[in-house]
Amino acid sequence: MIPMQEGLTAFLLPEGPAMWHEFALGLDFADPHATIDLLLAADAITARPDCDRATAALILARAVAAGFHRGEVPLGFVPGAARAFTARLTADLRAGRFAQGRLALPPEALRLVIRMLGPRGPVPLPPLALGSLPHRPRFGFAGWHPVALAAPALRVSA
């Protein structure tokens, strides 16, 4: 695991959109081991002007799935902060603040976004054009900790 002396948000922000997308793919606010650090990191990421629309939509879908829009939060979270985060991110997506959707969502993540944010979802949004490009972060996540990804094997010719 990679040490995070300054915390999760301080580690994630300089890593950029591909890593933020990786974070969103593994995010689970309802996990019994989830901490407020996840909400703080998600808030900081989605406040960035270079946050990808697909990343923002997935983070919002995960917050809605956890009940944040209703103030339902795990122990250690603050209901008002969770509702405020969800309201802010919903308003930003509705207003088109995330101008581009570049990064792809795998099928299960796309289904979650549609289920939570689609016309019949708990927080319906206008249709969002999401991305299709693969993301290539420098790190992955094991639980809520970044880990170095294995380097690709080098092929040696004889």
Side-chain angles (χ1 to χ4, degrees), residues 79-140:
R83 276 193 309 272
F85 165 74
T86 305
R88 192 257 318 153
L89 188 48
T90 299
D92 286 351
L93 280 162
R94 281 193 177 125
R97 186 176 105 25
F98 303 98
Q100 291 187 332
R102 298 175 300 273
L103 301 173
L105 292 174
E108 69 183 59
L110 183 57
R111 283 191 294 275
L112 177 68
V113 168
I114 292 168
R115 194 169 60 249
M116 294 295 119
L117 310 179
R120 295 186 176 149
V123 178
L125 292 176
L128 301 169
L130 300 176
S132 60
L133 296 177
H135 70 286
R136 297 191 189 351
R138 292 186 323 139
F139 303 99

Side-chain angles (χ1 to χ4, degrees), residues 6-30:
E6 302 296 320
L8 183 60
T9 302
F11 172 81
L12 286 171
L13 287 182
E15 291 296 320
M19 177 54 84
W20 305 341
H21 198 69
E22 184 73 12
F23 168 76
L25 289 170
L27 184 60
D28 183 0
F29 288 116

Side-chain angles (χ1 to χ4, degrees), residues 138 147-153:
R138 292 186 323 139
V147 294
L149 295 175

Side-chain angles (χ1 to χ4, degrees), residues 10-74:
F11 172 81
L12 286 171
L13 287 182
E15 291 296 320
M19 177 54 84
W20 305 341
H21 198 69
E22 184 73 12
F23 168 76
L25 289 170
L27 184 60
D28 183 0
F29 288 116
D31 184 294
H33 301 292
T35 67
I36 193 71
D37 289 343
L38 297 177
L39 181 58
L40 296 173
D43 188 52
I45 287 167
T46 57
R48 299 283 305 208
D50 50 347
C51 179
D52 188 77
R53 182 184 302 138
T55 302
L58 181 56
I59 289 173
L60 178 59
R62 295 203 185 280
V64 171
F68 280 21
H69 62 298
R70 294 185 302 269
E72 297 172 6
V73 295

